[in-house]
Amino acid sequence: MSDGAVTGLGAESVTARLPAPARFVLGLGILTAFAALGQGLVTALHLPLPGSVTGMALLWAALGTRVIRMHWITDAADGLLGILGLLFVPATVGFIGYLSAGAAWGWWLLVMTAGLLVGAGLAGVLASRLVRAES
């Protein structure tokens, strides 16, 4: 979030003259607005998608058509990229929730782990008995 993020925008850009905290708040507001727009669209149209993903697609379209300029969101996006790993946790939980697999995944994980432990245990017991029988 340095002032160098807007280098090359020219003196005609209003956002280039804003202080860095104001550019961050502007960018964060735009990103939040697109996330809310995506959630509202998903809710209104009953789409089987996470609202944040829909909002991201809308933001991508707005950037591609130059309705939104990249330098408007650069400072906020750079700040959010600094904590990207933390941001994946709610996104993953939300996506699993939309797949209606929240509780089922827990049971599948439990069954798979139990199967692995039982299979490995039986293989170990069988191998130890075979080794003793040959000795």
Side-chain angles (χ1 to χ4, degrees), residues 3-93:
D3 286 338
V6 292
T7 305
L9 295 178
E12 70 279 353
S13 175
V14 174
T15 55
R17 291 188 300 256
L18 291 174
R23 284 193 312 268
F24 180 81
V25 171
L26 171 68
L28 196 58
I30 291 171
L31 293 174
T32 304
F34 272 94
L37 179 64
Q39 185 61 47
L41 198 62
V42 163
T43 302
L45 298 177
H46 304 290
L47 298 173
L49 297 169
S52 58
V53 173
T54 304
M56 192 177 353
L58 292 171
L59 177 62
W60 184 36
L63 286 168
T65 58
R66 299 188 55 86
V67 172
I68 299 292
R69 305 297 174 134
M70 182 67 84
H71 66 269
W72 294 352
I73 61 171
T74 299
D75 287 344
D78 287 343
L80 292 173
L81 282 174
I83 57 168
L84 184 63
L86 181 63
L87 297 177
F88 272 113
V89 173
T92 304
V93 169

Side-chain angles (χ1 to χ4, degrees), residues 87-109:
L87 297 177
F88 272 113
V89 173
T92 304
V93 169
F95 190 71
I96 295 297
Y98 274 97
L99 292 177
S100 300
W105 278 100
W107 286 110
W108 276 106
L109 185 60

